[in-house]
Amino acid sequence: MAAEAEVMDELRRLRARVPQLTGALAASVDGLVLVQDTPGVEPETVAALTATALSVAVRMADATGQGDFRELLIRGVYGYVATYAAGRTAVLTLLAQDRVNVGRLHLEGRRAGLRIGELVDAAAETEPATAAAGPALTPPTAPEPMPTRTRTPRAPRTPTTTPNARTTTDS
C-alpha cells in the first residue's frame, strides 16, 4: 500500500492526542493488517477478530435499521476496544486503558478513521489490483445531526370518579 507511511504517521499522531491508547491498528475489512502500532498484542489476531466483529456489527446495524456501520465499542475489565469505519475498505481499531475519556476516544477515533479512510481509498484507486476484496463500507462523513423525535399529541384526560368519592355542598 502506497499510503502506509502516511497511515502510520496518523496512528502516531492519534496516540499522541490520546495518551491512554495502548495500541492502534488499521486493517482491511477482510482482516488483513495494513498498518499497526500494537505493542504486546498480536496484530494479525486483532485484525482477524476486527473483521469478524465488523461483520456482525454491519449485520446488526442493517437488521435493526440503524444504517451503515460507523463504530463499535467493546468495554472490558481492563479497557476498551473501539473500531471505526475508515473509508470503503478499511477499519481503524484502537485499544485504550480503562481510564480513557470515551468521548475523546470517539472524537479522535472518528477523525483518524476519516483521514485513514481518505489515504487508503486514494491508494486503492491508484492500485486497483491490490484493493481489498472484502465487503465495502460506506465511507463515514461528518456526523449527522441527531434526529428529533416528534411527539404525538395525547388525548385529553377525562376526570374519573370513584364510587366512594365525597361531594361537598354549600349549605
Side-chain angles (χ1 to χ4, degrees):
M1 175 176 70
E4 188 173 311
E6 292 176 87
V7 173
M8 181 55 102
D9 287 343
E10 184 62 34
L11 292 184
R12 287 188 184 119
R13 285 191 298 272
L14 175 62
R15 289 197 64 183
R17 291 189 307 264
V18 184
Q20 295 80 21
L21 287 182
T22 58
L25 173 134
S28 65
V29 293
D30 56 353
L32 299 175
V33 176
L34 301 175
V35 178
Q36 61 89 18
D37 180 13
T38 56
V41 177
E42 186 61 40
E44 288 80 15
T45 301
V46 174
L49 289 170
T50 294
T52 302
L54 174 66
S55 175
V56 172
V58 166
R59 288 175 57 194
M60 178 70 84
D62 184 52
T64 58
Q66 300 305 311
D68 296 326
F69 171 80
R70 291 293 181 253
E71 59 198 47
L72 172 67
L73 181 69
I74 299 168
R75 181 176 182 206
V77 173
Y78 303 114
Y80 295 87
V81 178
T83 299
Y84 302 92
R88 293 183 304 272
T89 61
V91 291
L92 170 66
T93 296
L94 305 176
L95 310 175
Q97 298 170 355
D98 64 337
R99 60 189 178 90
V100 72
N101 178 321
V102 177
R104 179 72 185 263
L105 176 68
H106 282 321
L107 176 72
E108 297 295 347
R110 291 169 186 154
R111 286 180 180 166
L114 283 170
R115 177 70 180 132
I116 290 169
E118 291 169 356
L119 295 169
V120 171
D121 289 347
E125 288 175 10
T126 60
E127 303 170 19
T130 60
L137 297 175
T138 303
T141 55
E144 296 176 15
M146 294 288 289
T148 55
R149 253 168 77 174
T150 56
R151 292 185 172 240
T152 306
R154 291 186 177 179
R157 291 186 148 206
T158 56
T160 58
T161 57
T162 58
N164 295 332
R166 259 189 190 173
T167 58
T168 57
T169 57
D170 291 333
S171 357

